[in-house]
């Protein structure tokens, strides 16, 4: 009796059921395509739909844990993800007011503890991780296409007197929003291009990476450029020399054709690139302000070296510690918004922001956790690259994506900090990296081939915690 027609009808439902745990996270990423409310982009507010939905994702993760009756986190994951709570709690107690401390603690716990832990719980296997990575790419393509349209039509944020800066739906008050989204998508696409035995995915991923070079360039974000260059270098280095050279040549050709060949903002891009090497010789006002706020952050830390000045305390203590070189704010305009003087509420360096507001305790618990997560992610890459492990080799693209995204974030934190609606994507990315680096070691042995029905049945029991089924058993 031929059961092929029945399987053909049932397979899509089975695949959807297998991916269902990660779908709320994908929807959370998709919500960042919605236009950002004006109040959400002011002062680093958290009023976007994605921020509200992130609470639901955390709730769904708790429900998933209860329903499956599985231990949600390994001991190592619980320590690394829970360690920042110590510094956050101490800094909240040191805040000027209870309301300010609670608001700051809620934001830090959301971004660095709750949402990453929820994503770690909801991702169960490599295929779900790839779905999330492709969601990053899809969001980047959407925001990038909108950003390119803004540049070509002069409807973007103001830059050098022209409304040509690509910002997507994030508006002029969060100019790093689109740059972050596109950078994530670019790094994820580059990593997905190294999936073994998947020529269609490799071709699609390389095409997406080539397309994303245009909006990344038009974002005029020097910090995003530097972080992307470093992260891509790490991905290519971990991927292997031969494949790295092929990918680098393809990306370079795409960049030349799409940017240099079409002449999109080439003069302004050249000036922006050259300004990276002039930050000490002839810095512009934005760089001068950044240096002044960095010095103010260090001065705050010297006053309170252990717990800092308290969460959300930087704006209150800024003027008493900053030099006269600091301006009153930055000018924002364009992208459908009127001219506005935006106050400088953070030092635009995540490490110095933590040091000033949370002291050494906060810096060691937060940044130390990120460093430990990076070590775990690299160790996971080493396992799948170990000779004689053909099953693990199929997850090379997952290892590259996790390591690349984490490196990008750690480098970008030298030039940016949390704030704005795009911050929730940082939490999702950290959760994805945590799944790769902190999942149980025996999960590296799980079956990787899903293309056939028999292999799918051999792997499906991993997600529900029932005894393993021998490969090929029915």
């Amino acid at each position: 009796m031929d059961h092929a027609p029945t399987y053909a009808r049932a397979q899509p439902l089975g695949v959807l059921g297998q991916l269902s745990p990660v779908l709320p996270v994908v929807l959370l990423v998709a919500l960042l395509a919605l236009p950002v409310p004006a109040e959400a982009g002011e002062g680093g507010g958290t009023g976007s739909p994605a921020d509200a939905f992130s609470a639901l994702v955390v709730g769904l993760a708790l429900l998933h844990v209860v329903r499956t009756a599985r231990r949600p986190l390994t001991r190592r994951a619980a320590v690394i993800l829970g360690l920042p709570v110590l510094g956050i709690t101490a800094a909240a107690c040191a805040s000027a007011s209870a309301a300010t401390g609670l608001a700051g603690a809620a934001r830090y716990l959301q971004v660095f503890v709750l949402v990453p832990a929820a994503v770690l719980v909801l991702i169960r296997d490599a295929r779900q991780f790839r779905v999330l990575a492709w969601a990053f790419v899809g969001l980047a393509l959407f925001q990038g296409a909108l950003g390119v349209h803004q540049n070509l039509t002069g409807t973007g944020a103001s830059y050098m007197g022209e409304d040509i800066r690509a910002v997507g739906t994030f508006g002029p008050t969060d100019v790093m929003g689109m740059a972050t989204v596109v950078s994530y998508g670019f790094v994820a696409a580059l990593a997905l291009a190294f999936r073994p035995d998947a020529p269609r995915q490799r071709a699609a991923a390389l095409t997406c990476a080539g397309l994303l070079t245009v909006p990344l360039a038009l974002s005029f974000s020097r910090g995003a450029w530097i972080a992307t260059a470093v992260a891509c270098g790490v991905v290519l280095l971990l991927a292997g020399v031969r494949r790295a050279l092929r990918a680098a040549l393809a990306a370079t050709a795409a960049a030349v054709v799409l940017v240099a060949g079409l002449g999109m903002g080439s003069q302004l891009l050249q000036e922006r690139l050259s300004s990276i090497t002039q930050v000490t010789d002839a810095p512009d006002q934005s760089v001068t302000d950044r240096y002044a706020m960095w010095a103010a952050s260090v001065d705050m830390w010297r006053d309170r070296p252990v717990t800092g000045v308290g969460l959300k305390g930087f704006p209150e203590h800024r003027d008493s510690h900053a030099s006269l070189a600091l301006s009153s704010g930055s000018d924002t305009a364009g992208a459908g918004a009127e001219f506005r003087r935006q106050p400088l509420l953070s030092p635009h360096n995540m490490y110095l922001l933590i040091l000033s507001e949370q002291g050494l305790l906060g810096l060691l618990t937060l940044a130390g956790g990120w460093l430990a997560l990076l070590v775990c992610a690299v160790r996971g890459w080493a396992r799948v690259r170990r000779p004689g492990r053909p099953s693990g080799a199929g997850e090379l693209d997952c290892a590259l994506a996790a390591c690349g995204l984490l490196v990008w974030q750690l480098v970008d934190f030298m030039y940016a900090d949390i704030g704005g609606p795009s911050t929730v994507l940082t939490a999702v990315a950290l959760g994805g990296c945590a799944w790769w680096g902190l999942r149980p070691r025996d999960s590296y042995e799980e079956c990787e081939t899903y293309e056939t029905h028999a292999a799918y049945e051999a792997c499906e029991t991993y997600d529900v915690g029932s005894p393993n089924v021998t490969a090929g058993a029915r």
Side-chain angles (χ1 to χ4, degrees), residues 88-89 91-108 310-313:
I88 294 172
T89 302
C93 295
S95 298
S97 66
T100 301
L102 287 176
R107 184 59 162 168
Y108 273 91
L311 296 178
K312 290 185 176 291

Side-chain angles (χ1 to χ4, degrees), residues 254-280:
V256 170
V257 172
L258 295 175
V259 180
L262 299 179
M264 295 183 181
S266 56
Q267 182 62 33
L268 290 176
L269 286 176
Q270 183 177 0
E271 295 176 358
R272 190 66 167 173
L273 282 171
S274 62
S275 69
I276 296 177
T277 60
Q278 298 172 354
V279 292
T280 55

Side-chain angles (χ1 to χ4, degrees), residues 386-431:
R386 190 179 303 165
R389 298 178 70 102
S391 61
E395 298 179 342
L396 176 61
D397 56 330
C398 299
L400 298 179
C403 294
L405 289 173
L406 191 54
V407 168
W408 187 94
Q409 193 60 70
L410 295 183
V411 174
D412 183 70
F413 273 162
M414 297 179 183
Y415 309 96
D417 48 50
I418 59 172
S422 60
T423 301
V424 71
L425 193 65
T426 299
V428 174
L430 289 175

